[in-house]
Amino acid sequence: MQSIVILVSGRGSNMEAMLAAGLPCRVAAVIANKADAKGLETARARGIPAVVVAHAGHASRQSFDAALAAEIDRHAPDLVVLAGFMRILGEDFVRRYQGRLMNIHPSLLPAFPGLHTHRRALDAGCRVHGCTVHFVTPALDNGPIIAQAAVPVRPDDSEETLAARVLAQEHVIYPQAVRWFVEGRLRLTEDGRVRLSGEQTAAAALLSPPPDAR
Ligand code: GAR
């Protein structure tokens, strides 16, 4: 059975969704860059080793990245899952885990990399918004796309209502993507493409606003 390490910075709801999904893998550890990350408590309550590698106290990004990599490597995971991990990781770190480092981002990439994605989608007048699971490459919130979920933006949406609608879909597509990986169905090819084998169920197209019925 493959093993994964999950990296969190805060709430950890994507991590919880993953733990609840009954994935066919061992969660070797949850690592946070902040001691008060709520995800740590959740992991400990489930008997999963929960470790802090604090970014504060490291003089440089390289030094933090090296400490983080050393902790990850102690658990020898097949896959490293960034689940709301809010530190930018350097190129050496990303290359070390190439093809086995996954992230979720709360927008339909390549739209809205970075922060405040829901506010920016509202400000731009988007009618469709969503989330993306991707393999991590050195460029921020970039990298080969594994899965996306789209949700409608409603006229009366606030940042909070839109975020909640997107988050519900994050909790669906992220465990699914990790499942594909640990089942050996998903990989990143040498030329940087996502290969997914086996059956997938076709989902209905999402159109917003829905066209008039005829
Ligand atoms: C999620 O919405 C995730 O997509 C986002 O942080 C939130 C973490 O929530 N990640 C990023 O913005 C990464 N660029 P969680 O801690 O409850 O999973």
Side-chain angles (χ1 to χ4, degrees):
M1 185 181 270
Q2 296 206 5
S3 74
I4 68 173
V5 163
I6 305 176
L7 270 52
V8 299
S9 292
R11 182 176 55 183
S13 73
N14 274 289
M15 178 204 75
E16 279 187 60
M18 232 160 262
L19 298 180
L23 300 175
C25 63
R26 195 170 62 84
V27 181
V30 169
I31 304 175
N33 62 314
K34 292 162 147 187
D36 62 355
K38 181 174 168 276
L40 290 168
E41 289 165 37
T42 314
R44 284 190 190 115
R46 289 173 172 258
I48 297 166
V51 187
V52 179
V53 180
H55 63 268
H58 282 276
S60 67
R61 188 188 307 287
Q62 286 88 333
S63 141
F64 170 67
D65 284 2
L68 184 59
E71 181 57 36
I72 291 171
D73 292 350
R74 249 171 29 83
H75 305 280
D78 297 285
L79 177 68
V80 180
V81 176
L82 305 181
F85 188 72
M86 303 305 278
R87 296 295 298 177
I88 294 176
L89 296 162
E91 189 159 345
D92 287 348
F93 181 96
V94 170
R95 292 209 189 289
R96 181 188 192 96
Y97 300 104
Q98 184 151 348
R100 53 194 194 100
L101 182 60
M102 240 184 234
N103 183 42
I104 187 147
H105 183 74
S107 76
L108 290 171
L109 291 172
F112 310 125
L115 298 174
H116 311 301
T117 55
H118 309 302
R119 189 193 312 159
R120 287 155 67 205
L122 287 171
D123 288 348
C126 292
R127 294 194 178 268
V128 175
H129 182 45
C131 50
T132 303
V133 178
H134 64 97
F135 282 115
V136 177
T137 56
L140 178 69
D141 296 329
N142 201 297
I145 292 172
I146 297 164
Q148 292 184 306
V151 300
V153 180
R154 303 212 171 108
D156 56 351
D157 263 334
S158 64
E159 211 175 320
E160 290 72 31
T161 58
L162 184 55
R165 193 173 308 122
V166 171
L167 190 65
Q169 295 307 315
E170 295 186 33
H171 296 166
V172 175
I173 64 170
Y174 211 5
Q176 174 66 80
V178 172
R179 182 181 293 277
W180 283 328
F181 189 95
V182 298
E183 286 178 352
R185 292 174 55 188
L186 169 67
R187 68 186 178 88
L188 185 65
T189 64
E190 291 286 303
D191 60 352
R193 298 198 174 267
V194 170
R195 282 277 168 276
L196 178 61
S197 60
E199 290 293 306
Q200 288 105 50
T201 317
L206 186 148
L207 300 177
S208 176
D212 295 338
R214 299 212 175 263

